[in-house]
Amino acid sequence: EMDLVESGGGLVQPGGSLRLSCSVSSHVRGGFIVAWFRQAPGKEREIISCISGVDPSFFYADFAKGRFTISKNSAGRVIYLEITNLQPEDTAAYYCAGSDDLGLLARCTLESSDYFYWGHGTQVAVSS
């Protein structure tokens, strides 16, 4: 089982940047994958990007290419999502989700159904 805790959200003016963090519990089993999602008011949840705990691969949803950057610390236990040039339409609750007990070199996917454990989210509001 994984525990994931998001942080770094807040109120930002249009054009600003934020770096969200997702702390992954230390008792994960085997390989693991983590993804960032967001859900805007009145909209369905959408996946933004994913990264693997050990394997260096990462992927972005099409809308996220360019302004979103996913990364991880050296231990792979903190997953970051940097968002630049924030716009009002980026206002949403941002969640990280993960799955563990995978092969050590498991590669992440952009399939929402592959992620079983969820954080509580961090709110991002973009407004002037």
Side-chain angles (χ1 to χ4, degrees):
E1 182 174 345
M2 298 174 74
D3 293 321
L4 305 108
V5 179
E6 306 93 336
S7 61
L11 175 62
V12 185
Q13 291 189 339
S17 300
L18 274 179
R19 189 175 77 161
L20 308 180
S21 299
C22 172
S23 296
V24 180
S25 58
S26 60
H27 55 268
V28 293
R29 298 177 298 177
F32 62 95
I33 56 176
V34 177
W36 281 99
F37 294 77
R38 70 180 183 181
Q39 187 165 20
K43 295 189 176 181
E44 292 189 356
R45 184 179 64 201
E46 59 183 351
I47 192 166
I48 302 168
S49 181
C50 73
I51 195 165
S52 304
V54 176
D55 187 271
S57 62
F58 51 89
F59 302 98
Y60 296 98
D62 286 343
F63 80 87
K65 295 175 182 176
R67 295 193 299 116
F68 294 77
T69 303
I70 196 168
S71 61
K72 59 187 178 184
N73 71 347
S74 57
R77 297 304 174 87
V78 182
I79 311 300
Y80 304 103
L81 183 72
E82 183 173 10
I83 315 169
T84 59
N85 192 23
L86 280 153
Q87 299 300 314
E89 53 266 32
D90 295 315
T91 295
Y94 285 72
Y95 301 89
C96 61
S99 290
D100 68 346
D101 203 19
L102 305 173
L104 284 178
L105 296 180
R107 304 185 83 185
C108 71
T109 76
L110 293 177
E111 294 294 329
S112 301
S113 58
D114 287 341
Y115 298 89
F116 297 107
Y117 303 106
W118 292 81
H120 293 294
T122 186
Q123 186 68 40
V124 172
V126 185
S127 175
S128 55

